[in-house]
Amino acid sequence: VVDSNIVFFSLPENAGISDDDLLRRLGEEYYVKLGGGYIRNNKHRAMLRAVTHLETNDEGIDRALEGLIALCLHWLSNRVTCDSRH
């Protein structure tokens, strides 16, 4: 097992929120900064990069995860509501 403070991830193609919007809103609404634009290819969206600093505690990590989940769920609930109207 390797301990690391770096996590790379990408949103699915049909995420409905752009990487730039996600990064912007995480910063504005949750005070979480992530990097993006790594490992691009024709099959996948850009990889996003989350890195914790030495001062980051469990509460900070929880806030980042809550922000990611909330923004993705917000998009999903809006999409389901819109789709159900058709």
Side-chain angles (χ1 to χ4, degrees):
V1 175
V2 176
D3 289 332
S4 177
N5 66 334
I6 302 172
V7 175
F8 286 94
F9 67 97
S10 63
L11 299 174
E13 289 293 328
N14 62 350
I17 186 170
S18 72
D19 296 339
D20 290 338
D21 285 342
L22 178 69
L23 297 177
R24 179 185 53 76
R25 290 187 63 189
L26 278 172
E28 291 173 359
E29 298 172 30
Y30 296 91
Y31 308 104
V32 172
K33 293 183 180 182
L34 297 180
Y38 300 93
I39 314 172
R40 291 185 185 267
N41 63 37
N42 293 333
K43 295 182 181 180
H44 303 287
R45 291 173 72 151
M47 299 293 286
L48 302 175
R49 180 182 68 149
V51 179
T52 59
H53 293 276
L54 291 175
E55 299 84 22
T56 304
N57 58 21
D58 289 346
E59 291 173 3
I61 292 170
D62 287 346
R63 185 175 64 242
L65 291 172
E66 288 170 9
L68 282 168
I69 291 167
L71 291 172
C72 290
L73 287 178
H74 174 75
W75 167 80
L76 181 61
S77 67
N78 284 340
R79 181 177 172 149
V80 169
T81 301
C82 292
D83 288 347
S84 66
R85 293 180 188 165
H86 290 87

